[in-house]
């Protein structure tokens, strides 16, 4: 049957009708809040990040305060990024027993045992060259050494688990990292620690503000030799399915807004929980437009997050998490 017998507007006529047929729900418990934790200065005020109003580099003590708020708002988890005091060629701060992420994870688990702590596993914040792995010494053009990096990532993941991380999330995009991390976690007694793999992670311009925040821009070149080409959807599915084979417990699509097709494709290609990372540049765009009075921030953010759920994301990592939770809690 078609018009005039069929009228889709019949089910849109009132808030009650729209609520009855709403297909997608967004809850605070699906949102993950990223936190930037700095080693130095170890005391002092949060350091604002210019392109990300409302986000700052925090001391461990302030990260605990933020995390307590996250718990009170009913958020799912926090995702920790470390800003170390010193960097070196191997990124050794990444797996230091008393590294900033390790210390922060311990503090969070001690103060807020009910909070889920996810840690980003990567070397780029800890290497002096800013790449996500170690460099090959035997070639003229600097190049990230995939296989030599795997052991360092696994060591990092184990150090996070030992510090109390509930979930480890490798974001480096080296081939074979999920299998290597799984094996090492199991061997070291962390068979119960899940891996959230940044599986379909693209070489994206939308990470710009994050790199300012974390001080992790590559000193030379770019990340296109390891992160995915934004033009490649089939390759993103291959990456994701490989991570599933290697033992990932959850997979991720990142960035989110320009990649809704892949959130949907990944959703259909696996039975695993799917996360979408609403990244720094996506946050910066909304905040800038809202500050200029061009967009209604609340309506825009809730529409974006709902659309990521509709596309197929179970979990959304977003810098809007606290605001969104407040707005959602007000609505209900
Ligand atoms: C580390 C990492 C990055 C992001 C998350 N983990 C930056 C990058 O790959 O350059 C980006 C997050 C964001 O932009 O919000 N590899």
């Amino acid at each position: 049957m078609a018009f005039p017998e069929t009228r889709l507007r019949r089910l849109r006529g009132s808030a009650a009708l729209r609520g009855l047929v709403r297909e997608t729900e967004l809850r605070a418990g699906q949102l993950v809040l990223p936190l930037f934790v700095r080693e130095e200065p170890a005391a002092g005020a949060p350091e604002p990040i210019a392109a990300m109003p409302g986000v700052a580099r925090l001391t461990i003590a302030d990260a605990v305060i933020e995390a307590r708020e996250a718990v009170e708002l009913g958020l799912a988890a926090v995702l920790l990024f470390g800003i170390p005091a010193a960097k070196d060629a191997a990124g050794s701060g990444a797996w230091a027993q008393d590294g900033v992420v390790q210390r922060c994870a311990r503090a969070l688990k001690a103060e807020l045992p009910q909070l889920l702590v996810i840690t980003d596993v990567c070397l780029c914040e800890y290497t002096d060259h800013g790449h996500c792995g170690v460099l090959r010494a035997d070639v003229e053009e600097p190049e990230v050494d995939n296989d030599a990096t795997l052991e360092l990532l696994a060591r990092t993941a184990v150090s996070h688990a030992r510090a109390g991380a509930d979930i480890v999330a490798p974001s480096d995009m080296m081939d074979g990292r999920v299998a290597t991390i799984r094996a090492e976690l199991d061997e070291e007694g962390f068979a119960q620690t899940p891996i959230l793999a940044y599986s379909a992670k693209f070489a994206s311009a939308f990470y710009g503000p994050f790199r300012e925040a974390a001080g992790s821009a590559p000193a030379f070149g770019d990340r296109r030799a390891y992160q995915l080409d934004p033009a490649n959807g089939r390759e993103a599915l291959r990456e994701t399915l490989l991570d599933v084979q290697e033992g990932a417990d959850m997979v991720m699509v990142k960035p989110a807004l320009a990649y809704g097709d892949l959130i949907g494709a990944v959703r259909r290609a696996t039975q695993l929980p799917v996360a979408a990372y609403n990244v720094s540049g996506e946050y910066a765009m909304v905040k800038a437009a809202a500050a200029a009075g061009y967009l209604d921030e609340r309506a825009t953010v809730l529409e974006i997050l709902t659309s990521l759920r509709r596309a197929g994301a179970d979990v959304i990592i977003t810098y809007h998490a606290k605001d969104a939770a407040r707005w959602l809690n007000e609505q209900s």
Side-chain angles (χ1 to χ4, degrees):
M1 259 197 291
F3 179 82
E5 293 85 356
T6 301
R7 290 177 181 270
L8 295 187
R9 287 186 54 189
R10 277 186 204 121
L11 294 178
R12 295 180 200 149
S14 68
L17 275 170
R18 292 190 293 273
L20 179 70
V21 299
R22 184 157 300 127
E23 299 173 28
T24 308
E25 298 288 347
L26 178 65
R27 294 184 281 114
Q30 295 156 335
L31 305 178
V32 175
L33 176 69
L35 295 178
F36 297 101
V37 191
R38 64 172 206 243
E39 193 159 17
E40 277 184 352
E47 298 168 355
I49 298 155
M52 302 174 73
V55 182
R57 296 187 207 87
L58 306 171
T59 61
I60 291 175
D62 283 333
V64 172
I65 293 173
E66 279 280 299
R68 181 167 291 123
E69 253 188 87
V71 171
E72 282 162 8
L73 287 165
L75 295 178
V78 295
L79 169 60
L80 300 184
F81 293 98
I83 304 163
K87 306 187 187 219
D88 59 28
S92 62
W95 61 85
Q97 208 51 273
D98 61 347
V100 62
V101 163
Q102 289 81 354
R103 285 197 288 130
C104 188
R106 271 187 229 111
L108 289 171
K109 293 310 291 185
E111 301 269 337
L112 303 162
Q114 73 276 45
L115 171 76
L116 269 186
V117 175
I118 310 177
T119 54
D120 185 85
V121 175
C122 193
L123 302 186
C124 67
E125 295 119 67
Y126 305 90
T127 52
D128 49 17
H129 46 75
H131 279 285
C132 300
V134 288
L135 302 180
R136 277 179 64 170
D138 57 340
V139 288
E140 231 169 87
E141 281 289 300
E143 179 186 311
V144 173
D145 187 337
N146 189 89
D147 297 13
T149 300
L150 296 179
E151 176 52 32
L152 305 181
L153 293 167
R155 210 180 284 175
T156 303
V158 167
S159 76
H160 290 175
R162 196 162 277 139
D166 297 290
I167 301 177
V168 293
S171 68
D172 53 282
M173 291 303 280
M174 298 301 123
D175 285 324
R177 80 265 170 80
V178 173
T180 308
I181 291 171
R182 183 71 272 156
E184 196 115 328
L185 284 172
D186 290 359
E187 201 174 299
E188 296 293 324
F190 300 104
Q192 290 300 326
T193 304
I195 298 175
L196 162 57
Y198 285 71
S199 300
K201 177 173 176 182
F202 290 85
S204 172
F206 289 104
Y207 307 152
F210 173 94
R211 291 179 189 168
E212 178 210 326
S216 65
F220 61 85
D222 53 44
R223 303 208 200 289
R224 284 183 293 182
Y226 40 102
Q227 298 179 345
L228 282 161
D229 182 338
N232 291 4
R234 291 193 301 271
E235 191 188 355
L237 279 181
R238 288 187 76 196
E239 273 287 2
T240 305
L241 294 176
L242 272 175
D243 284 357
V244 175
Q245 263 178 32
E246 289 183 27
D249 298 281
M250 303 173 68
V251 293
M252 190 196 298
V253 177
K254 176 187 174 195
L257 296 194
Y259 297 84
D261 57 333
L262 290 172
I263 297 171
V266 166
R267 168 71 295 149
R268 291 185 290 276
T270 124
Q271 304 300 316
L272 272 62
V274 175
Y277 198 142
N278 177 214
V279 300
S280 58
E282 299 171 337
Y283 177 84
M285 291 194 301
V286 170
K287 295 299 276 191
Y294 299 158
L295 285 176
D296 174 337
E297 181 174 353
R298 173 187 165 133
T300 304
V301 167
L302 292 177
E303 180 176 334
I304 284 174
L305 299 180
T306 301
S307 76
L308 298 178
R309 293 267 307 132
R310 188 202 64 231
D314 299 292
V315 174
I316 302 170
I317 302 165
T318 178
Y319 304 94
H320 297 291
K322 286 201 310 178
D323 287 333
R326 270 186 219 108
W327 295 325
L328 291 168
N329 297 341
E330 273 165 31
Q331 273 175 9
S332 56

